[in-house]
Amino acid sequence: DVFQSREEDDRKVRRREKNRVAAQRSRKKQTQKADKLHEEYESLEQENTSLKREIGKLTDEMKHLSEVLKDHEKICPLLHCTMNFVTIPRPDALASCLPR
């Protein structure tokens, strides 16, 4: 039957078109997802670089402060006091330990 054959052909054409559009939509969605992931990756890389830089600065500051403390411990009267178990230190001893 020619009529049925034409209907089947029309259905196949519509099905193919529908499938083609769905495939296009799917590829577009995948591309958008990949673009979003790439942007997120770039952002995380920048944040990582910034955090590494901050770690470096904080490490340098910690080394400097450790040296300052070590130097201070050599001259601190509170650490050398024979009565360092006393809870209230003398004000004059404390004053010499405070930064000027």
Side-chain angles (χ1 to χ4, degrees), residues 10-71:
D10 286 348
R11 264 190 253 132
K12 283 181 185 178
V13 167
R14 282 193 303 268
R15 197 176 323 119
R16 281 191 196 128
E17 178 63 18
K18 192 175 178 181
N19 189 47
R20 185 183 67 76
V21 170
Q24 277 181 326
R25 225 181 3 252
S26 176
R27 284 190 295 272
K28 184 177 179 182
K29 195 173 180 180
Q30 284 178 329
T31 302
Q32 289 172 339
K33 186 176 180 180
D35 290 346
K36 186 177 178 182
L37 284 172
H38 184 71
E39 286 175 20
E40 187 177 348
Y41 166 81
E42 291 293 328
S43 175
L44 289 171
E45 280 292 321
Q46 288 177 354
E47 184 180 1
N48 190 30
T49 300
S50 175
L51 289 171
K52 284 180 179 179
R53 200 175 301 123
E54 186 177 352
I55 287 170
K57 287 178 183 177
L58 291 171
T59 300
D60 290 345
E61 183 181 3
M62 183 181 70
K63 287 177 186 174
H64 170 72
L65 292 173
S66 292
E67 287 298 316
V68 169
L69 178 62
K70 196 186 311 179
D71 291 344

